[in-house]
Amino acid sequence: MRRVWVAPKRSLGHLGRNVFGGFVEHLGRCINGGIFEEGSRLSDVDGFRADVLELLEALKLGVLRWPGGNFVSNYLWTDGIGPRASRPRRVELAWGGAEEPNLFGTDEFLRYCARLGVTPYICLNMGTGTLSEALAWVEYCNSAARSYWADRRRENGRAEPYHVPYWGLGNEMYGDWQVGQLSADEYVRMATRWARAIRRLDPDIKLVSCGMNGWNEWDRVVIEGMASLVDLHSLHLYTGSSNYWTNVLAPHQAERAITYASAWISRVAYVQRLNRVPRIAYDEWNVWYRVHDATLEERYSFADALAVATYLNIFVRNCKWVEMANLAQMVNAIAPIVTTKASAMVQPIYYPFLLHSTTALDDAIDVWVDSPKVAAPELSPGEYWRHRIGDLGPFRTIDASATCDTELSKISVTIVNRDPGSTDRVELRIQDGAFIGKARIRTITEDGSLGKRPAPDIEAVKLEDGSEEAKDDVLVVELPPSSFAVIEVPIAAG
């Protein structure tokens, strides 16, 4: 018997909706041919694919980041506004892909966010762009003044400011793909200038410094130099392996990153006597290791879905520090949603995001797990990602997180059973309270039937929806091998 204890009165922090965020970039068919396809019978008057929009709406995203890569973002800004017919027709793509029509720019992105009901997050181009261009972009989006760029926005049909709250100070500025690669110290000097100027233009803006992975020297230098000027520090992490246990356990590297980055932030906040302490934006994360061409059209397994579920458990448990997390990407390129000219369909990683996002409550609460342990395998020479996590283990075969509403009347528990060999009976127990009424239990597992696949190369997922009555203040749930479950149950706090 495995056991999971939850403690509704032991809050880990408020869980904001931005933890369930997304990212769209001009990579492969993520935007053109993904969320946007002008002239398609499946698209609306704005050119947005209605089937994709419906699938994204179901995820109840809190925030959407765009455009990401430094080589495209400023070009899209300067030439991606106004009537589409008058724009330059081509735009450079990241990752060396073919050029594409320049039809999805700032106004389209912000209209898309409005349609989805999400908060927009724009990443500024510090790689090939200039500060004056960045200021113009902020002015176009956020200014209510009678100024050149605000008037350009009005001419383009938007009278009121968009009030974009989040702005990233560059994207992956440490990479050797950058034009004139910067050191961390050089980035801090440049970003300091940008941050001060942008805040003078819009004091209410939330700025995000460009971090790396959370445990790197780049992060230490940037946090020390930028913590007083920004609201969030960004981290990126990708994992994935053909080895089952490496794949499902690798997301725990995010816990290392959060621990190290938050320690650096805490130290700097203390030493510099900061009144506003930055938090973490995990604004790129996902499983990705198979495809590295310009399309990035990864096909996901159910093991990948368990890894995504574990990532989300980690972000929930660490919501005191993680204010935002953005799954990268959302459509076609390393994405949960795949499109053809005729339809849109979902991959296995769609389901844990859907269940997490739609059942999460107001506050993360403490959770304790008793289950067998497993050590992380040694990394094989051919692994694409070389994250060493052995020192973080051994790991429980069951990983869990829990949330509770502010009235302490309902809890939601997300459980990943990573054991591929056995069905586990799990006792769910509550501290300082009692279960009342029936629990709703939704479980996802791999559906190996080829006939159930949405497409020949996309794995099917089996979703079961059931209920269970608690007995003697214990709720017993059966979890199939390699499964993910969400348990929602009313409670009475003691």
Side-chain angles (χ1 to χ4, degrees), residues 433-493:
F435 299 118
I436 54 174
K438 281 190 175 182
R440 182 184 185 187
I441 304 167
R442 280 173 282 180
T443 306
I444 57 171
T445 53
E446 180 180 358
D447 189 335
S449 171
L450 293 177
K452 297 291 182 65
R453 290 190 170 205
D457 61 342
I458 295 179
E459 290 191 9
V461 170
K462 184 178 181 181
L463 172 61
E464 293 184 296
D465 195 341
S467 62
E468 190 67 49
E469 195 86 45
K471 297 177 182 178
D472 299 325
D473 294 330
V474 177
L475 185 64
V476 178
V477 179
E478 285 203 354
L479 297 181
S482 297
S483 62
F484 173 66
V486 178
I487 304 166
E488 299 172 279
V489 58
I491 64 168

Side-chain angles (χ1 to χ4, degrees), residues 25 63 80 100 118 123 125 190 207 221 260 309 318 336 418 452 454 480 483:
E25 186 174 1
V63 62
E100 63 181 27
V118 304
C123 185
N125 179 6
M190 183 178 179
L207 295 176
V221 173
Y260 289 6
N318 289 277
R418 301 180 290 203
K452 297 291 182 65
S483 62

Side-chain angles (χ1 to χ4, degrees), residues 41-262:
R41 64 178 179 81
L42 300 174
S43 298
D44 60 19
V45 293
D46 287 316
F48 303 150
R49 282 278 297 253
D51 51 354
V52 174
L53 193 65
E54 182 178 0
L55 290 170
L56 287 174
E57 284 175 332
L59 293 179
K60 297 189 180 300
L61 300 173
V63 62
L64 190 62
R65 179 176 182 250
W66 170 86
N70 286 291
F71 298 111
V72 300
S73 56
N74 237 63
Y75 189 88
L76 287 166
W77 152 235
T78 53
D79 294 306
I81 60 172
R84 291 175 190 160
S86 66
R87 300 179 192 175
R89 295 298 295 174
R90 313 300 288 180
V91 59
E92 181 185 5
L93 275 175
W95 275 77
E99 292 184 335
E100 63 181 27
N102 184 16
L103 303 177
F104 189 94
T106 300
D107 293 290
E108 286 79 15
F109 169 67
L110 294 172
R111 283 200 296 272
Y112 200 76
C113 288
R115 292 282 295 277
L116 281 176
V118 304
T119 300
Y121 168 17
I122 291 178
C123 185
L124 294 166
N125 179 6
M126 291 184 69
T128 59
T130 66
L131 175 56
S132 62
E133 289 166 336
L135 291 170
W137 204 352
V138 175
E139 181 184 315
Y140 181 90
C141 293
N142 288 6
S143 178
R146 302 304 304 193
S147 61
Y148 177 80
W149 287 108
D151 286 343
R152 283 287 301 274
R153 183 194 68 239
R154 296 182 181 99
E155 291 170 9
N156 293 332
R158 173 76 182 195
E160 297 301 317
Y162 285 110
H163 296 300
V164 177
Y166 293 102
W167 294 81
L169 295 169
N171 176 67
E172 297 184 350
M173 297 297 294
Y174 45 81
D176 57 9
W177 47 81
Q178 296 295 341
V179 177
Q181 183 181 359
L182 300 177
S183 69
D185 288 315
E186 290 169 332
Y187 169 76
V188 167
R189 286 194 290 272
M190 183 178 179
T192 296
R193 258 189 331 114
W194 283 48
R196 288 173 175 164
I198 291 169
R199 283 213 188 275
R200 286 178 65 88
L201 178 62
D202 187 346
D204 297 324
I205 215 165
K206 290 191 174 184
L207 295 176
V208 185
S209 57
C210 176
M212 191 176 182
N213 51 33
W215 61 86
N216 195 280
E217 182 69 4
W218 173 283
D219 290 284
R220 182 191 65 78
V221 173
V222 171
I223 288 169
E224 288 184 356
M226 298 300 300
S228 64
L229 298 169
V230 300
D231 302 274
L232 296 165
H233 178 75
S234 75
L235 302 179
H236 291 179
L237 179 62
Y238 293 95
T239 59
S241 172
S242 59
N243 180 292
Y244 174 84
W245 281 111
T246 300
N247 197 20
V248 299
L249 296 176
H252 287 285
Q253 183 73 353
E255 292 186 297
R256 184 197 307 279
I258 295 164
T259 298
Y260 289 6
S262 63

